[in-house]
Amino acid sequence: MTMIAIPNSVNPYRGNVQGKANEPITVAGLLDRAKKGLGSDYGAAVPDWSLDRIYDRLEHNAPRIAIIGGSSDHPAHILDHETVYKAALTIWNKGGIPFYFSTPVLCDGTAQNNMGMSYSLQSRNVIAEVVVNQMEAHSYHAAFVIQGCDKQPLGVLSGLALLDRLRRYRGEHHVFATFSPSHVLKGGTIPDDVKAGLAELAAKAEFAGHPDIAADIRDAVSYILQCSSNTTFQGVLERAVEYGLLSDVEHKDFEKLLAISTCDAKGGICA
């Protein structure tokens, strides 16, 4: 394969021996994990990412591409690793040098109605700063971004756009990027026994002269179960407790059963 090079006179890995001493093991480690993680999906080819080959690509100014993931405490990113592995192997096989780092990603649903909302919009600035900091610190040319919720891709894009302007101002090669969308989070399913209990509560509310509560319960049941519809249930169930239709213990039982049925184990972006 003809070695690909970024047409740029600036290559800190050519002039600084420390980077070429430190980074090959991070690239090899990422590619080794990718091969192991993908297993039979990887194929039977013998890996060719020896440390000396990685060194040669760094010396030659091959495209250094950062795969940017999110944080595994966000539902959109709990299965990032498979995407990271496939991206890393593809980048290497196309002649580039793959690296990986991740950013913090705030979940708006988790932050709702608590102190977390004070950090929601500010989190985009944090993500942008993290991206600029890491891309500059390790002199990456490009990014393959695994998208999360609405704050994270905007933050990453803002950081990359700023970095591109900075690089062009310095006369260096422009920053390029690809955004890979995460899959959409599948809505949960209300268990049949919970549906039956909610139907019974609606009938009880109607009989007690609270048709508004009955209507709201039936309306909430008609939607896909997700964190936002859980909030709808929370509001109507609190009203049911207030009117003596439901005990605090029964409310908490409903809340628990709905909560643990909400998110699919594969995660993804809320739609």
Side-chain angles (χ1 to χ4, degrees), residues 73-117:
D73 59 346
H74 191 297
H77 292 284
I78 59 174
L79 292 182
D80 272 9
H81 287 135
E82 184 177 352
T83 304
V84 171
Y85 295 157
K86 290 179 178 179
L89 289 168
T90 300
I91 290 167
W92 178 261
N93 290 334
K94 296 290 185 179
I97 313 171
F99 299 85
Y100 170 71
F101 71 87
S102 62
T103 68
V105 182
L106 180 149
C107 174
D108 262 350
T110 303
Q112 286 287 338
N113 200 35
N114 61 61
M115 186 56 72
M117 289 304 293

Side-chain angles (χ1 to χ4, degrees), residues 167-220:
R167 295 268 177 92
R168 288 171 185 262
Y169 177 80
R170 294 197 306 233
E172 300 177 28
H173 195 273
H174 68 84
V175 175
F176 52 103
T178 294
F179 283 73
S180 173
S182 294
H183 60 285
V184 174
L185 177 65
K186 178 183 175 183
T189 302
I190 302 174
D192 289 339
D193 58 339
V194 177
K195 276 188 178 179
L198 290 168
E200 184 179 330
L201 178 60
K204 182 179 180 181
E206 208 160 37
F207 182 79
H210 302 290
D212 55 327
I213 291 180
D216 287 347
I217 290 173
R218 290 167 182 150
D219 183 60

Side-chain angles (χ1 to χ4, degrees), residues 27-64:
V27 176
L30 172 59
L31 292 168
D32 286 344
R33 289 194 303 275
K35 181 180 182 299
K36 182 179 179 180
L38 293 178
S40 60
D41 290 340
Y42 164 76
V46 178
D48 65 347
W49 45 80
S50 60
L51 296 181
D52 62 318
R53 291 200 67 178
I54 297 170
Y55 177 101
D56 288 343
R57 289 194 186 187
L58 290 170
E59 174 74 19
H60 194 66
N61 215 27
R64 298 185 293 274

